[in-house]
């Protein structure tokens, strides 16, 4: 059944008069009218037309405790009465850094930013400044922020992307200059031989290898067994820093992020989203020897809103819960997520719809494909993404909100009753799609 969107349609028309494209981030573009949220609480949100949704977008992942949890609201409200911004130091930034150091394997020293793109950019500058080398090796399909020097070959058209084992750098936006990719090296992910060959071609020139340790911007792909360990060893042998972009996976896959779950410690980690439960905080964390290049002033790192007091109060409160209640939160989130994954796969099989479901439970991806596995961007790109967009719309009609490309996030606020309702709605939507 189609949703009532009268007020949303009117707001969208009004927004297009004053906001370029009607939305403030390209990630929020939809084929039709986007959701205009009135309020959100726990696992649910409601739009301005009164439609309710079980929410698996969670602000693109940050709302790991659900929407508007009391612990976050109380911490932020209390700090608002003490001051909004200081451009000075305060206790909360120390306490958040101490908490991060106790949770995250690579976090010996930390610096804070506001958004993930800033922290990723800082990590790359730090790697170049620390090593004295210029080149950065990134992987096809991985996203490290929207800034020009790294927005290459995130989702390139396959007819422009070059050979699978030796891909070419494709700008992600008009306005980017191709010469900004002069110091980027591109490799396919999850292909150890191709990675080894790329490093050999640029021996002595690469400052850092940067990756999403679980690829979430092109599916929900966990690396092959032993792949990360081999990459870690090659980086050590070649004097290359290893950067994990954990803006999505940090504090979501485990209290210490993907590096804890997968057992590989990078030299530098980039964090955001879940670390503050929805407040705008990101972090650059790394081994002391590397971070000393910032501490000494050799590498510049600045920002008016770094360690923003209100946002840091939120991070302090959320990380305390995630750390001290880890044995309750993470196993239950994974259990419910896997129950949902298994239920979706069973429904698709029963209806005869080719579908693959991959992920950890804390987050997962559904693909419309006959393939038995998706291991990298190119395999993701060959799945039926246009029909996935249609499925997204049908799920919205049934009161289920997922990321349009097929990614789902779980929170500690989701319940077994939510899973039951979601599976019933999913079967209805998939039957309509078929």
């Amino acid at each position: 059944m189609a949703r009532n969107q009268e007020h949303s349609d009117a707001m969208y028309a009004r927004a297009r008069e004053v906001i370029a494209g009607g939305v403030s981030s390209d990630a929020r573009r939809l084929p039709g009218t986007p959701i205009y949220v009135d309020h959100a609480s726990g696992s649910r949100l409601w739009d301005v037309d009164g439609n309710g949704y079980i929410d698996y977008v969670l602000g693109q992942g940050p709302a790991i405790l659900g929407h508007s949890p009391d612990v976050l609201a109380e911490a932020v409200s209390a700090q608002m009465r003490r001051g909004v911004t200081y451009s000075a130091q305060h206790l909360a930034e120390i306490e958040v850094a101490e908490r991060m150091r106790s949770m995250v394997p690579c976090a010996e020293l930390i610096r804070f930013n506001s958004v993930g793109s800033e922290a990723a950019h800082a990590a790359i500058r730090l790697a170049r400044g620390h090593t004295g080398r210029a080149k950065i090796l990134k992987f096809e399909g991985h996203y490290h922020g929207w800034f020009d020097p790294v927005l290459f070959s995130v989702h390139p058209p396959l007819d422009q992307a070059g050979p699978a084992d030796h891909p070419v750098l494709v700008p992600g936006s008009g306005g980017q200059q191709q010469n900004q990719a002069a110091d980027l090296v591109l490799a396919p992910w999850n292909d150890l031989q191709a990675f080894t060959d790329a490093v050999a071609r640029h021996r002595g020139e690469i400052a850092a290898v940067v990756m999403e340790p679980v690829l979430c911007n092109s599916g929900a792909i966990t690396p092959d067994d032993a792949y990360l360990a081999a990459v870690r060893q090659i980086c050590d042998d070649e004097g290359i820093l290893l950067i994990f972009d954990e803006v999505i996976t940090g504090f979501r896959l485990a209290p210490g992020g993907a590096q804890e779950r997968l057992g590989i410690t990078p030299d530098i980690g980039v964090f955001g989203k879940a670390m503050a439960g929805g407040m705008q905080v990101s972090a650059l964390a790394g081994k002391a020897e590397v971070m000393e290049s910032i501490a000494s002033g050799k590498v510049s790192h600045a920002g008016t809103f770094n360690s923003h007091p209100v946002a840091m109060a939120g991070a302090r409160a959320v990380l305390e819960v995630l750390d001290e209640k880890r044995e309750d939160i993470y196993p239950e989130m994974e259990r419910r997520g896997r129950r949902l994954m298994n239920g979706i796969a069973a429904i698709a099989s029963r209806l005869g719809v080719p579908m693959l479901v991959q992920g950890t439970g804390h987050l997962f991806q559904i693909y419309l494909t006959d393939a038995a596995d998706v291991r990298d961007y190119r395999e993701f790109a060959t799945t039926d993404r246009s029909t996935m967009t249609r499925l997204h719309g049908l799920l919205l009609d049934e009161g289920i909100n997922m990321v349009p490309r097929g990614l789902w996030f779980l929170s500690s606020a989701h319940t077994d009753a939510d899973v039951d309702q979601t599976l019933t709605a999913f079967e209805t939507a998939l039957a309509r799609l078929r």
Side-chain angles (χ1 to χ4, degrees), residues 125-256:
R125 175 186 288 180
L126 172 59
R128 286 173 167 152
H130 182 76
T131 64
R133 299 176 180 180
K135 293 187 182 296
I136 302 295
L137 189 150
K138 77 170 296 270
F139 295 93
E140 191 175 52
H142 292 230
Y143 177 73
H144 306 297
W146 69 284
F147 294 165
D148 285 359
V150 291
L151 192 64
F152 284 85
S153 293
V154 177
H155 290 155
L158 294 185
D159 61 356
Q160 300 176 28
D165 62 347
H166 197 165
V168 299
L169 287 154
V170 180
S173 171
Q176 281 183 276
Q177 300 297 310
Q178 190 66 42
N179 62 12
Q180 290 174 321
D183 289 322
L184 284 182
V185 177
L186 184 65
W189 195 58
N190 246 346
D191 184 334
L192 185 58
Q193 187 59 56
F195 172 74
T196 302
D197 292 344
V199 171
R201 286 194 300 271
H202 300 277
R203 179 158 283 125
E205 300 177 314
I206 298 174
V209 169
V210 59
M211 70 166 76
E212 298 179 58
V214 173
L215 179 51
C216 299
N217 280 287
S218 299
I221 307 171
T222 300
D224 291 342
D225 291 345
Y227 175 76
L228 285 187
V231 170
R232 172 74 274 181
Q233 187 61 58
I234 291 169
C235 286
D236 289 342
D237 293 344
E238 299 291 337
I240 298 170
L241 298 181
L242 179 58
I243 302 171
F244 279 1
D245 186 334
E246 295 221 50
V247 168
I248 293 178
T249 58
F251 307 106
R252 171 164 285 283
L253 298 190

Side-chain angles (χ1 to χ4, degrees), residues 76-144:
V76 167
S77 297
Q79 180 57 46
M80 286 290 291
R81 292 188 289 271
R82 297 174 63 86
V84 175
T85 190
Y86 304 139
S87 191
Q89 287 57 247
H90 53 92
L91 177 60
E93 66 180 344
I94 301 171
E95 293 177 332
V96 173
E98 289 172 340
R99 180 74 67 172
M100 282 190 68
R101 186 174 63 181
S102 73
M103 296 173 74
V104 178
C106 79
E108 296 177 4
L109 290 173
I110 296 116
R111 277 288 184 102
F112 296 106
N113 284 104
S114 295
V115 296
S117 292
E118 287 182 287
H121 188 74
I124 289 170
R125 175 186 288 180
L126 172 59
R128 286 173 167 152
H130 182 76
T131 64
R133 299 176 180 180
K135 293 187 182 296
I136 302 295
L137 189 150
K138 77 170 296 270
F139 295 93
E140 191 175 52
H142 292 230
Y143 177 73
H144 306 297

Side-chain angles (χ1 to χ4, degrees), residues 127-387:
R128 286 173 167 152
H130 182 76
T131 64
R133 299 176 180 180
K135 293 187 182 296
I136 302 295
L137 189 150
K138 77 170 296 270
F139 295 93
E140 191 175 52
H142 292 230
Y143 177 73
H144 306 297
W146 69 284
F147 294 165
D148 285 359
V150 291
L151 192 64
F152 284 85
S153 293
V154 177
H155 290 155
L158 294 185
D159 61 356
Q160 300 176 28
D165 62 347
H166 197 165
V168 299
L169 287 154
V170 180
S173 171
Q176 281 183 276
Q177 300 297 310
Q178 190 66 42
N179 62 12
Q180 290 174 321
D183 289 322
L184 284 182
V185 177
L186 184 65
W189 195 58
N190 246 346
D191 184 334
L192 185 58
Q193 187 59 56
F195 172 74
T196 302
D197 292 344
V199 171
R201 286 194 300 271
H202 300 277
R203 179 158 283 125
E205 300 177 314
I206 298 174
V209 169
V210 59
M211 70 166 76
E212 298 179 58
V214 173
L215 179 51
C216 299
N217 280 287
S218 299
I221 307 171
T222 300
D224 291 342
D225 291 345
Y227 175 76
L228 285 187
V231 170
R232 172 74 274 181
Q233 187 61 58
I234 291 169
C235 286
D236 289 342
D237 293 344
E238 299 291 337
I240 298 170
L241 298 181
L242 179 58
I243 302 171
F244 279 1
D245 186 334
E246 295 221 50
V247 168
I248 293 178
T249 58
F251 307 106
R252 171 164 285 283
L253 298 190
Q259 57 190 265
E260 176 189 332
R261 187 175 180 92
L262 300 175
I264 301 295
T265 302
D267 300 293
I268 302 170
V270 179
F271 299 87
K273 296 191 186 292
M275 71 174 290
M279 296 300 293
Q280 64 279 29
V281 179
S282 63
L284 172 69
K287 295 179 178 178
E289 178 187 0
V290 178
M291 295 293 289
E292 184 59 31
S293 289
I294 289 178
S296 68
K298 178 181 178 181
V299 174
S300 175
H301 177 263
T304 298
F305 295 114
N306 291 359
S307 297
H308 189 277
V310 179
M312 295 303 287
R316 177 174 57 190
V318 169
L319 291 183
E320 179 179 338
V321 172
L322 294 178
D323 189 12
E324 297 183 4
K325 296 185 178 180
R326 61 175 64 201
E327 298 302 327
D328 297 324
I329 290 173
Y330 290 95
E332 277 298 288
M333 195 186 309
E334 181 168 6
R335 181 188 67 78
R336 288 196 178 99
R338 290 195 179 277
R339 180 168 170 253
L340 182 55
M341 292 170 65
N342 292 337
I344 287 172
I347 290 167
S349 176
R350 186 164 62 249
L351 293 179
V353 177
M355 182 175 290
L356 173 67
V357 185
Q358 281 186 332
T360 65
H362 317 82
L363 60 85
F364 65 89
Q365 171 81 26
I366 60 174
Y367 312 85
L368 292 167
T369 180
D370 288 312
D373 195 15
V374 172
R375 299 178 58 256
D376 58 24
Y377 165 69
R378 297 210 180 196
E379 293 181 1
F380 166 78
T382 59
T383 64
D384 189 347
R385 291 185 287 168
S386 62
T387 304

